[in-house]
Amino acid sequence: MNTQRLQLGTFGTNLAPGITFTTIPGALTTEWSRVKDLALRAEAMDFEAIVPISRWKGYGGEHNPHSDAYETLTWAAAVGAVTTSARIFATVSMPVVHPVIAAKQMATIDHVTGGRSGINVLAGWFRPEMGMFGTDLLPHDRRYDMADEWLAVVKQAWSDPEEFDMHGEFFDLSGVFSMPKPLSERPRIMNAAMSGRGLEFALQNADQIYIKLNDDRDAAAAQVADIKRQAREKYDRDIEVWTFGYVVDADTESAARDFLQDYAGTHGMHDAAVNALKIMGVEAEVAGDNTTAARRFNWVAGDGGVPFVGTPAQVADGLEWVSDTGVDGCLLGWPLWEEGMTRFSERVLPLLVDRGIRVSH
Ligand SMILES: Cc1cc2nc3c(=O)[nH]c(=O)nc-3n(C[C@H](O)[C@H](O)[C@H](O)COP(=O)(O)O)c2cc1C
């Protein structure tokens, strides 16, 4: 039973430079010793989840962020082997990973972790990486028709002791068999779809739906309530809602804002953010306004997540706000992970405990 009012986790420790598109020295790199250390730090803070980003190609521009990325299933197995308490997710792009392979890899990760595995399934949006696999994106809503079949294969492979066939529209498979089964009932399923058809897929299948939270307080609370209501009313399911953000804290608000300007303004990878947003705007059904300077800046500063910027108390205020919207969990990232996590542990977490948002074990 989870006792935390707001569950916490890390997002994007498997790739460079993490969720902040910055060239400042000390930004995240793909060095296993660091990546492992960040997982252990997350567990030392009792974080509930460690979630990677699936990326096969970067966003281009001068520095090509996210071009340097650990593959997430092998990463999850390795992180799973060195951790003991957090749920370890693999983020899997369904169009490029065969479901029979994914099912068995997830069962393996579930054994390695003693039942702490999760899968964040993606229907795909980043067209430049599809050619590497000799394929292309389907039209938007068809991606979720494929996802339905993909997940049906995976779920049956996790549960069916016998061989089975799947003669679908996208997969024509005979004698599918997968052992061992996951240790847990099944890995937890996460999905970050936002569009009409995508949201329907998420409501039906995800245990945790992962959203970009509306900036406006009332709108955010309504957004979360609406997702939970729809899951209950349409599919009789209770689902958790998760979001993500980036933490930039300092002793004073102005020092935190100066640092934000430095890493994301002066040393930000702006050309890459524009590339990513343009592609997302073309490929996603509900992409919002991808052209404003503020949205572009927020993408550079933290992949478009909630900004938690200011003093430790202001960071705690932000997390309290997120919790008050009804969000169940929030994944976090930092421009300088090691320093940032140390400060978060020493200065922000105690405030969250004082406010009853977190319980310390
Ligand atoms: C919190 C969050 C995490 C995401 N993680 C990834 C990821 O790791 N890799 C990726 O290609 N896309 C990722 N996405 C992008 C979603 O897959 C994309 O927004 C989705 O396909 C668009 O929604 P739609 O298909 O409903 O239009 C993420 C999106 C959100 C909001």
Side-chain angles (χ1 to χ4, degrees):
M1 267 295 280
N2 177 57
T3 51
Q4 305 289 4
R5 213 173 103 198
L6 184 68
Q7 298 177 68
L8 293 174
T10 59
F11 187 39
T13 61
N14 65 306
L15 80 185
I19 64 169
T20 56
F21 289 12
T22 180
T23 60
I24 50 165
L28 191 58
T29 46
T30 46
E31 283 165 75
W32 172 243
S33 57
R34 281 186 85 179
V35 171
K36 173 181 163 186
D37 174 59
L38 296 183
L40 299 180
R41 286 168 183 264
E43 286 204 324
M45 291 197 276
D46 289 332
F47 278 17
E48 283 76 19
I50 299 181
V51 182
I53 291 175
S54 166
R55 192 81 295 130
W56 299 91
K57 230 178 214 189
Y59 297 128
E62 189 183 350
H63 300 287
N64 202 11
H66 292 190
S67 56
D68 184 358
Y70 284 141
E71 187 283 317
T72 69
L73 284 147
T74 45
W75 172 93
V79 172
V82 298
T83 51
T84 55
S85 57
R87 186 167 297 278
I88 312 302
F89 283 81
T91 297
V92 176
S93 177
M94 292 180 276
V96 304
V97 182
H98 194 282
V100 175
I101 295 179
K104 201 170 178 84
Q105 288 181 319
M106 286 308 305
T108 306
I109 295 166
D110 207 55
H111 279 239
V112 169
T113 57
R116 289 181 289 119
S117 74
I119 181 167
N120 178 23
V121 288
L122 308 173
W125 65 274
F126 193 54
R127 196 175 288 268
E129 56 192 25
M130 303 303 291
M132 292 170 70
F133 300 92
T135 182
D136 197 0
L137 286 176
L138 293 165
H140 183 274
D141 287 6
R142 295 287 286 158
R143 293 173 209 165
Y144 290 95
D145 297 339
M146 192 281 281
D148 279 336
E149 249 181 51
W150 192 96
L151 203 54
V153 174
V154 168
K155 282 183 174 168
Q156 194 166 348
W158 283 340
S159 61
D160 196 334
E162 308 294 337
E163 292 189 7
F164 67 92
D165 294 348
M166 164 69 76
H167 300 300
E169 199 183 341
F170 301 91
F171 296 99
D172 189 18
L173 314 177
S174 304
V176 175
F177 175 77
S178 194
M179 279 292 276
K181 302 303 180 197
L183 281 186
S184 53
E185 187 193 336
R186 63 166 170 72
R188 267 179 91 75
I189 297 172
M190 181 189 261
N191 178 251
M194 297 176 282
S195 61
R197 176 66 179 95
L199 183 63
E200 224 48 50
F201 170 83
L203 294 172
Q204 225 168 334
N205 294 295
D207 303 304
Q208 299 172 217
I209 181 163
Y210 194 10
I211 63 168
K212 180 166 161 32
L213 198 60
N214 200 301
D215 310 325
D216 176 80
R217 181 178 288 253
D218 292 337
Q223 179 189 17
V224 176
D226 185 54
I227 289 168
K228 293 188 175 193
R229 181 188 53 75
Q230 288 198 56
R232 262 193 313 272
E233 288 179 3
K234 290 187 186 167
Y235 302 107
D236 195 23
R237 306 188 67 234
D238 279 318
I239 61 176
E240 291 188 0
V241 175
W242 285 59
T243 192
F244 74 104
Y246 54 98
V247 181
V248 187
D249 75 294
D251 289 341
T252 62
E253 181 180 350
S254 69
R257 295 212 171 276
D258 287 348
F259 181 49
L260 173 68
Q261 269 312 318
D262 182 51
Y263 86 79
T266 313
H267 296 101
M269 302 174 178
H270 301 274
D271 49 2
V274 170
N275 288 344
L277 284 167
K278 270 190 193 147
I279 293 167
M280 191 168 258
V282 172
E283 300 297 347
E285 191 185 293
V286 187
D289 177 5
N290 285 335
T291 57
T292 63
R295 189 172 159 92
R296 287 178 177 175
F297 185 86
N298 201 41
W299 186 274
V300 174
D303 234 351
V306 180
F308 299 109
V309 180
T311 62
Q314 288 173 312
V315 172
D317 289 344
L319 286 160
E320 188 167 9
W321 167 71
V322 166
S323 172
D324 287 346
T325 65
V327 160
D328 298 283
C330 185
L331 302 179
L332 300 173
W334 287 264
L336 295 173
W337 283 80
E338 289 86 351
E339 290 174 38
M341 288 176 94
T342 299
R343 279 202 312 276
F344 191 84
S345 173
E346 291 172 356
R347 304 175 62 180
V348 180
L349 268 185
L351 299 177
L352 298 179
V353 172
D354 287 349
R355 297 177 187 200
I357 298 164
R358 295 283 296 177
V359 177
S360 62
H361 295 299

